[in-house]
PDB file of all heavy atoms in Angstrom:
ATOM      1  N   GLY A  14     -12.947  36.296   9.677  1.00 89.00           N
ATOM      2  CA  GLY A  14     -14.289  36.369  10.231  1.00 89.00           C
ATOM      3  C   GLY A  14     -14.775  34.941  10.348  1.00 89.00           C
ATOM      4  O   GLY A  14     -14.230  34.035   9.721  1.00 89.00           O
ATOM      5  N   ASN A  15     -15.730  34.708  11.203  1.00 90.00           N
ATOM      6  CA  ASN A  15     -16.212  33.325  11.380  1.00 90.00           C
ATOM      7  C   ASN A  15     -17.707  33.372  11.684  1.00 90.00           C
ATOM      8  O   ASN A  15     -18.073  33.408  12.847  1.00 90.00           O
ATOM      9  CB  ASN A  15     -15.428  32.634  12.502  1.00 90.00           C
ATOM     10  CG  ASN A  15     -15.483  31.116  12.410  1.00 90.00           C
ATOM     11  OD1 ASN A  15     -15.801  30.555  11.375  1.00 90.00           O
ATOM     12  ND2 ASN A  15     -15.177  30.464  13.501  1.00 90.00           N
ATOM     13  N   PRO A  16     -18.586  33.407  10.673  1.00 94.00           N
ATOM     14  CA  PRO A  16     -18.296  33.115   9.260  1.00 94.00           C
ATOM     15  C   PRO A  16     -17.656  34.302   8.554  1.00 94.00           C
ATOM     16  O   PRO A  16     -17.719  35.438   9.008  1.00 94.00           O
ATOM     17  CB  PRO A  16     -19.662  32.793   8.677  1.00 94.00           C
ATOM     18  CG  PRO A  16     -20.626  33.519   9.529  1.00 94.00           C
ATOM     19  CD  PRO A  16     -20.018  33.571  10.902  1.00 94.00           C
ATOM     20  N   GLY A  17     -17.053  33.959   7.424  1.00 95.00           N
ATOM     21  CA  GLY A  17     -16.400  34.961   6.605  1.00 95.00           C
ATOM     22  C   GLY A  17     -15.717  34.304   5.430  1.00 95.00           C
ATOM     23  O   GLY A  17     -16.012  33.156   5.072  1.00 95.00           O
ATOM     24  N   ALA A  18     -14.781  35.027   4.852  1.00 96.00           N
ATOM     25  CA  ALA A  18     -14.009  34.512   3.720  1.00 96.00           C
ATOM     26  C   ALA A  18     -13.068  33.433   4.243  1.00 96.00           C
ATOM     27  O   ALA A  18     -12.341  33.647   5.211  1.00 96.00           O
ATOM     28  CB  ALA A  18     -13.223  35.645   3.075  1.00 96.00           C
ATOM     29  N   GLY A  19     -13.113  32.270   3.609  1.00 97.00           N
ATOM     30  CA  GLY A  19     -12.317  31.152   4.110  1.00 97.00           C
ATOM     31  C   GLY A  19     -11.415  30.548   3.074  1.00 97.00           C
ATOM     32  O   GLY A  19     -11.627  30.694   1.865  1.00 97.00           O
ATOM     33  N   GLY A  20     -10.397  29.852   3.579  1.00 98.00           N
ATOM     34  CA  GLY A  20      -9.478  29.146   2.711  1.00 98.00           C
ATOM     35  C   GLY A  20      -8.985  27.881   3.375  1.00 98.00           C
ATOM     36  O   GLY A  20      -9.075  27.735   4.590  1.00 98.00           O
ATOM     37  N   TRP A  21      -8.491  26.978   2.561  1.00 98.00           N
ATOM     38  CA  TRP A  21      -7.920  25.741   3.080  1.00 98.00           C
ATOM     39  C   TRP A  21      -6.671  25.405   2.276  1.00 98.00           C
ATOM     40  O   TRP A  21      -6.510  25.847   1.142  1.00 98.00           O
ATOM     41  CB  TRP A  21      -8.926  24.580   3.019  1.00 98.00           C
ATOM     42  CG  TRP A  21      -9.436  24.270   1.643  1.00 98.00           C
ATOM     43  CD1 TRP A  21     -10.573  24.768   1.052  1.00 98.00           C
ATOM     44  CD2 TRP A  21      -8.814  23.427   0.667  1.00 98.00           C
ATOM     45  NE1 TRP A  21     -10.683  24.286  -0.231  1.00 98.00           N
ATOM     46  CE2 TRP A  21      -9.622  23.450  -0.497  1.00 98.00           C
ATOM     47  CE3 TRP A  21      -7.663  22.638   0.649  1.00 98.00           C
ATOM     48  CZ2 TRP A  21      -9.313  22.732  -1.646  1.00 98.00           C
ATOM     49  CZ3 TRP A  21      -7.344  21.921  -0.499  1.00 98.00           C
ATOM     50  CH2 TRP A  21      -8.165  21.967  -1.626  1.00 98.00           C
ATOM     51  N   GLY A  22      -5.775  24.669   2.910  1.00 98.00           N
ATOM     52  CA  GLY A  22      -4.559  24.245   2.240  1.00 98.00           C
ATOM     53  C   GLY A  22      -4.205  22.832   2.635  1.00 98.00           C
ATOM     54  O   GLY A  22      -4.533  22.382   3.743  1.00 98.00           O
ATOM     55  N   ALA A  23      -3.549  22.128   1.733  1.00 98.00           N
ATOM     56  CA  ALA A  23      -3.104  20.763   2.006  1.00 98.00           C
ATOM     57  C   ALA A  23      -1.774  20.522   1.291  1.00 98.00           C
ATOM     58  O   ALA A  23      -1.541  21.049   0.204  1.00 98.00           O
ATOM     59  CB  ALA A  23      -4.141  19.750   1.541  1.00 98.00           C
ATOM     60  N   LEU A  24      -0.946  19.735   1.927  1.00 98.00           N
ATOM     61  CA  LEU A  24       0.313  19.300   1.357  1.00 98.00           C
ATOM     62  C   LEU A  24       0.329  17.781   1.393  1.00 98.00           C
ATOM     63  O   LEU A  24       0.115  17.185   2.451  1.00 98.00           O
ATOM     64  CB  LEU A  24       1.492  19.856   2.170  1.00 98.00           C
ATOM     65  CG  LEU A  24       2.878  19.304   1.841  1.00 98.00           C
ATOM     66  CD1 LEU A  24       3.290  19.683   0.428  1.00 98.00           C
ATOM     67  CD2 LEU A  24       3.892  19.802   2.864  1.00 98.00           C
ATOM     68  N   LEU A  25       0.536  17.165   0.243  1.00 98.00           N
ATOM     69  CA  LEU A  25       0.641  15.712   0.139  1.00 98.00           C
ATOM     70  C   LEU A  25       2.075  15.379  -0.229  1.00 98.00           C
ATOM     71  O   LEU A  25       2.649  16.015  -1.124  1.00 98.00           O
ATOM     72  CB  LEU A  25      -0.304  15.165  -0.931  1.00 98.00           C
ATOM     73  CG  LEU A  25      -1.797  15.232  -0.622  1.00 98.00           C
ATOM     74  CD1 LEU A  25      -2.348  16.633  -0.797  1.00 98.00           C
ATOM     75  CD2 LEU A  25      -2.553  14.268  -1.498  1.00 98.00           C
ATOM     76  N   ARG A  26       2.646  14.399   0.448  1.00 98.00           N
ATOM     77  CA  ARG A  26       4.028  13.998   0.201  1.00 98.00           C
ATOM     78  C   ARG A  26       4.078  12.482   0.073  1.00 98.00           C
ATOM     79  O   ARG A  26       3.619  11.764   0.956  1.00 98.00           O
ATOM     80  CB  ARG A  26       4.898  14.465   1.357  1.00 98.00           C
ATOM     81  CG  ARG A  26       6.369  14.227   1.163  1.00 98.00           C
ATOM     82  CD  ARG A  26       7.169  14.729   2.353  1.00 98.00           C
ATOM     83  NE  ARG A  26       7.191  16.180   2.383  1.00 98.00           N
ATOM     84  CZ  ARG A  26       7.323  16.892   3.500  1.00 98.00           C
ATOM     85  NH1 ARG A  26       7.413  16.298   4.673  1.00 98.00           N
ATOM     86  NH2 ARG A  26       7.357  18.207   3.450  1.00 98.00           N
ATOM     87  N   CYS A  27       4.660  12.026  -1.048  1.00 97.00           N
ATOM     88  CA  CYS A  27       4.766  10.585  -1.310  1.00 97.00           C
ATOM     89  C   CYS A  27       6.045  10.314  -2.097  1.00 97.00           C
ATOM     90  O   CYS A  27       6.243  10.915  -3.166  1.00 97.00           O
ATOM     91  CB  CYS A  27       3.543  10.106  -2.088  1.00 97.00           C
ATOM     92  SG  CYS A  27       3.534   8.353  -2.448  1.00 97.00           S
ATOM     93  N   ASN A  28       6.871   9.444  -1.576  1.00 95.00           N
ATOM     94  CA  ASN A  28       8.112   9.060  -2.259  1.00 95.00           C
ATOM     95  C   ASN A  28       8.944  10.263  -2.704  1.00 95.00           C
ATOM     96  O   ASN A  28       9.463  10.305  -3.817  1.00 95.00           O
ATOM     97  CB  ASN A  28       7.825   8.163  -3.467  1.00 95.00           C
ATOM     98  CG  ASN A  28       7.198   6.854  -3.063  1.00 95.00           C
ATOM     99  OD1 ASN A  28       7.531   6.286  -2.019  1.00 95.00           O
ATOM    100  ND2 ASN A  28       6.274   6.353  -3.868  1.00 95.00           N
ATOM    101  N   GLY A  29       9.033  11.268  -1.847  1.00 94.00           N
ATOM    102  CA  GLY A  29       9.839  12.447  -2.147  1.00 94.00           C
ATOM    103  C   GLY A  29       9.182  13.464  -3.054  1.00 94.00           C
ATOM    104  O   GLY A  29       9.766  14.504  -3.358  1.00 94.00           O
ATOM    105  N   VAL A  30       7.966  13.192  -3.495  1.00 97.00           N
ATOM    106  CA  VAL A  30       7.233  14.121  -4.362  1.00 97.00           C
ATOM    107  C   VAL A  30       6.177  14.836  -3.533  1.00 97.00           C
ATOM    108  O   VAL A  30       5.482  14.207  -2.728  1.00 97.00           O
ATOM    109  CB  VAL A  30       6.562  13.370  -5.541  1.00 97.00           C
ATOM    110  CG1 VAL A  30       5.743  14.325  -6.396  1.00 97.00           C
ATOM    111  CG2 VAL A  30       7.606  12.650  -6.380  1.00 97.00           C
ATOM    112  N   GLU A  31       6.078  16.148  -3.713  1.00 98.00           N
ATOM    113  CA  GLU A  31       5.096  16.938  -2.974  1.00 98.00           C
ATOM    114  C   GLU A  31       4.070  17.558  -3.927  1.00 98.00           C
ATOM    115  O   GLU A  31       4.393  17.904  -5.062  1.00 98.00           O
ATOM    116  CB  GLU A  31       5.779  18.073  -2.212  1.00 98.00           C
ATOM    117  CG  GLU A  31       6.678  17.597  -1.112  1.00 98.00           C
ATOM    118  CD  GLU A  31       7.278  18.736  -0.311  1.00 98.00           C
ATOM    119  OE1 GLU A  31       7.249  19.909  -0.779  1.00 98.00           O
ATOM    120  OE2 GLU A  31       7.772  18.453   0.777  1.00 98.00           O
ATOM    121  N   LYS A  32       2.847  17.695  -3.395  1.00 98.00           N
ATOM    122  CA  LYS A  32       1.786  18.366  -4.144  1.00 98.00           C
ATOM    123  C   LYS A  32       1.041  19.263  -3.169  1.00 98.00           C
ATOM    124  O   LYS A  32       0.628  18.810  -2.094  1.00 98.00           O
ATOM    125  CB  LYS A  32       0.837  17.346  -4.761  1.00 98.00           C
ATOM    126  CG  LYS A  32      -0.269  17.983  -5.585  1.00 98.00           C
ATOM    127  CD  LYS A  32      -1.098  16.947  -6.301  1.00 98.00           C
ATOM    128  CE  LYS A  32      -2.102  17.626  -7.214  1.00 98.00           C
ATOM    129  NZ  LYS A  32      -2.806  16.683  -8.051  1.00 98.00           N
ATOM    130  N   GLU A  33       0.864  20.520  -3.536  1.00 98.00           N
ATOM    131  CA  GLU A  33       0.086  21.453  -2.733  1.00 98.00           C
ATOM    132  C   GLU A  33      -1.298  21.604  -3.352  1.00 98.00           C
ATOM    133  O   GLU A  33      -1.436  21.681  -4.573  1.00 98.00           O
ATOM    134  CB  GLU A  33       0.750  22.830  -2.685  1.00 98.00           C
ATOM    135  CG  GLU A  33       2.015  22.877  -1.869  1.00 98.00           C
ATOM    136  CD  GLU A  33       2.612  24.280  -1.815  1.00 98.00           C
ATOM    137  OE1 GLU A  33       2.188  25.175  -2.589  1.00 98.00           O
ATOM    138  OE2 GLU A  33       3.524  24.486  -0.994  1.00 98.00           O
ATOM    139  N   LEU A  34      -2.306  21.664  -2.498  1.00 98.00           N
ATOM    140  CA  LEU A  34      -3.682  21.908  -2.915  1.00 98.00           C
ATOM    141  C   LEU A  34      -4.227  23.055  -2.076  1.00 98.00           C
ATOM    142  O   LEU A  34      -3.865  23.190  -0.903  1.00 98.00           O
ATOM    143  CB  LEU A  34      -4.549  20.673  -2.673  1.00 98.00           C
ATOM    144  CG  LEU A  34      -4.108  19.352  -3.289  1.00 98.00           C
ATOM    145  CD1 LEU A  34      -4.972  18.217  -2.757  1.00 98.00           C
ATOM    146  CD2 LEU A  34      -4.201  19.432  -4.798  1.00 98.00           C
ATOM    147  N   SER A  35      -5.109  23.849  -2.639  1.00 98.00           N
ATOM    148  CA  SER A  35      -5.742  24.908  -1.860  1.00 98.00           C
ATOM    149  C   SER A  35      -7.028  25.341  -2.550  1.00 98.00           C
ATOM    150  O   SER A  35      -7.243  25.078  -3.726  1.00 98.00           O
ATOM    151  CB  SER A  35      -4.801  26.101  -1.678  1.00 98.00           C
ATOM    152  OG  SER A  35      -4.468  26.675  -2.917  1.00 98.00           O
ATOM    153  N   GLY A  36      -7.857  26.001  -1.775  1.00 98.00           N
ATOM    154  CA  GLY A  36      -9.117  26.509  -2.291  1.00 98.00           C
ATOM    155  C   GLY A  36      -9.800  27.306  -1.201  1.00 98.00           C
ATOM    156  O   GLY A  36      -9.240  27.520  -0.128  1.00 98.00           O
ATOM    157  N   GLY A  37     -11.020  27.716  -1.447  1.00 97.00           N
ATOM    158  CA  GLY A  37     -11.723  28.491  -0.438  1.00 97.00           C
ATOM    159  C   GLY A  37     -13.167  28.754  -0.816  1.00 97.00           C
ATOM    160  O   GLY A  37     -13.637  28.333  -1.874  1.00 97.00           O
ATOM    161  N   GLU A  38     -13.826  29.465   0.075  1.00 96.00           N
ATOM    162  CA  GLU A  38     -15.229  29.839  -0.110  1.00 96.00           C
ATOM    163  C   GLU A  38     -15.421  31.253   0.423  1.00 96.00           C
ATOM    164  O   GLU A  38     -14.709  31.681   1.336  1.00 96.00           O
ATOM    165  CB  GLU A  38     -16.150  28.870   0.637  1.00 96.00           C
ATOM    166  CG  GLU A  38     -16.102  27.455   0.096  1.00 96.00           C
ATOM    167  CD  GLU A  38     -16.991  26.497   0.883  1.00 96.00           C
ATOM    168  OE1 GLU A  38     -17.903  26.959   1.591  1.00 96.00           O
ATOM    169  OE2 GLU A  38     -16.757  25.285   0.775  1.00 96.00           O
ATOM    170  N   ASP A  39     -16.416  31.935  -0.126  1.00 94.00           N
ATOM    171  CA  ASP A  39     -16.669  33.321   0.271  1.00 94.00           C
ATOM    172  C   ASP A  39     -17.295  33.468   1.651  1.00 94.00           C
ATOM    173  O   ASP A  39     -16.923  34.349   2.403  1.00 94.00           O
ATOM    174  CB  ASP A  39     -17.575  34.012  -0.754  1.00 94.00           C
ATOM    175  CG  ASP A  39     -16.882  34.208  -2.093  1.00 94.00           C
ATOM    176  OD1 ASP A  39     -15.636  34.198  -2.129  1.00 94.00           O
ATOM    177  OD2 ASP A  39     -17.593  34.360  -3.095  1.00 94.00           O
ATOM    178  N   ASN A  40     -18.244  32.656   1.982  1.00 94.00           N
ATOM    179  CA  ASN A  40     -18.969  32.808   3.250  1.00 94.00           C
ATOM    180  C   ASN A  40     -19.001  31.459   3.945  1.00 94.00           C
ATOM    181  O   ASN A  40     -19.870  30.636   3.658  1.00 94.00           O
ATOM    182  CB  ASN A  40     -20.376  33.341   2.998  1.00 94.00           C
ATOM    183  CG  ASN A  40     -21.103  33.650   4.289  1.00 94.00           C
ATOM    184  OD1 ASN A  40     -20.488  33.975   5.294  1.00 94.00           O
ATOM    185  ND2 ASN A  40     -22.419  33.562   4.252  1.00 94.00           N
TER     186      ASN A  40
END
Side-chain angles (χ1 to χ4, degrees):
N15 201 18
W21 59 267
L24 170 65
L25 290 77
R26 185 180 288 152
C27 181
N28 296 324
V30 177
E31 294 184 344
K32 182 174 185 173
E33 289 182 348
L34 305 171
S35 62
E38 295 178 19
D39 292 339
N40 186 28

